[in-house]
Amino acid sequence: DSGVTQTPKHLITATGQRVTLRCSPRSGDLSVYWYQQSLDQGLQFLIQYYNGEERAKGNILERFSAQQFPDLHSELNLSSLELGDSALYFCASSVALQGMTDTQYFGPGTRLTVL
Amino acid sequence: QKEVEQDPGPLSVPEGAIVSLNCTYSNSAFQYFMWYRQYSRKGPELLMYTYSSGNKEDGRFTAQVDKSSKYISLFIRDSQPSDSATYLCAMSGSGITQGGSEKLVFGKGTKLTVNP
């Protein structure tokens, strides 16, 4: 168990809908990362937050957005869902101390199915 | 050309075999190299971490980085059925930033099955 929790485990929804995925980082970790994993694209970095602020952006669609709250949990919002958004969504967290490369610990993921 | 290339396999070996997993990359800015293991229906977990070129050993696992060839490897000695998983290589640029590491770029993963 990495200490990172994600809810829900599974989500089934229809095209055009909006969903919210939630992540709680490990205790003490300030940084949260979101990744999308699909069979054809592999694990793709979406976005990183550090202590409430957006830190880095990857291949995140404009239909997707995220935020990190004062208690450091994070939410990933996916809107106007398309069939191609079906994937595993992982959250990872790290301590993020200055001057160090830190380990990212991954949660168990949320499996999103868009019908 | 993709930034990170990894043979997806699948790779099937008998128990006790030596396994070699590899990734190539194109971005010479990568300095931090990682191997993650992902069991079915689980999140990736960090297995090995190396900086720049060289070897690193941890039990039955050895990670090698050859920056001149832009090639990294993970060797598993005396493979066990419990090693059956998907192995993902990952890498990042500097890592030395305030407020956390840069994004990780992952290979697509190699699915390994170790048969008893």
Side-chain angles (χ1 to χ4, degrees):
Chain A
D1 186 353
S2 67
V4 178
T5 60
Q6 288 186 250
T7 56
K9 280 188 178 179
H10 303 279
L11 203 46
I12 301 174
T13 188
T15 54
Q17 295 298 304
R18 172 190 169 95
V19 297
T20 298
L21 312 183
R22 183 188 167 101
C23 167
S24 292
R26 294 187 321 151
S27 176
D29 284 0
L30 298 178
S31 213
V32 169
Y33 310 76
W34 286 99
Y35 292 86
Q36 179 193 58
Q37 187 176 41
S38 60
L39 281 173
D40 56 339
Q41 293 294 322
L43 201 57
Q44 298 280 311
F45 169 74
L46 295 177
I47 197 164
Q48 176 198 358
Y49 277 81
Y50 171 74
N51 205 20
E53 291 187 7
E54 183 183 303
R55 180 64 62 176
K57 228 170 184 176
N59 302 320
I60 188 166
L61 299 171
E62 284 192 14
R63 300 182 285 109
F64 296 0
S65 65
Q67 54 184 329
Q68 185 179 28
F69 295 87
D71 66 352
L72 300 178
H73 91 271
S74 178
E75 292 181 357
L76 179 67
N77 299 297
L78 314 176
S79 61
S80 302
L81 285 167
E82 301 175 0
L83 296 177
D85 297 327
S86 296
L88 269 169
Y89 290 84
F90 287 104
C91 166
S93 73
S94 68
V95 175
L97 296 175
Q98 184 178 2
M100 291 180 61
T101 292
D102 49 359
T103 299
Q104 294 185 25
Y105 294 89
F106 282 76
T110 293
R111 183 174 294 276
L112 173 67
T113 302
V114 182
L115 301 175
Chain B
Q1 182 185 11
K2 284 191 178 293
E3 274 193 297
V4 179
E5 300 270 10
Q6 183 176 8
D7 186 340
L11 188 59
S12 182
V13 301
E15 183 175 352
I18 296 174
V19 176
S20 171
L21 304 167
N22 312 293
C23 287
T24 59
Y25 62 95
S26 58
N27 189 343
S28 56
F30 288 144
Q31 296 185 62
Y32 295 84
F33 304 91
M34 287 140 270
W35 286 95
Y36 280 80
R37 178 174 61 194
Q38 185 175 17
Y39 290 114
S40 182
R41 301 182 184 279
K42 300 283 188 182
E45 58 176 332
L46 183 67
L47 201 56
M48 298 284 286
Y49 172 99
T50 51
Y51 169 69
S52 195
S53 285
N55 292 1
K56 186 173 183 179
E57 190 172 319
D58 184 2
R60 296 184 294 110
F61 299 89
T62 299
Q64 287 186 352
V65 175
D66 181 349
K67 288 191 71 180
S68 62
S69 302
K70 296 191 178 69
Y71 187 88
I72 69 171
S73 300
L74 177 71
F75 297 96
I76 307 174
R77 292 184 300 279
D78 188 24
S79 56
Q80 303 294 309
S82 58
D83 295 328
S84 298
T86 296
Y87 290 80
L88 301 140
C89 63
M91 35 200 93
S92 71
S94 70
I96 306 177
T97 60
Q98 183 175 1
S101 57
E102 287 187 5
K103 64 173 186 176
L104 293 179
V105 180
F106 282 85
K108 285 193 177 181
T110 300
K111 186 170 182 178
L112 170 68
T113 301
V114 180
N115 301 300

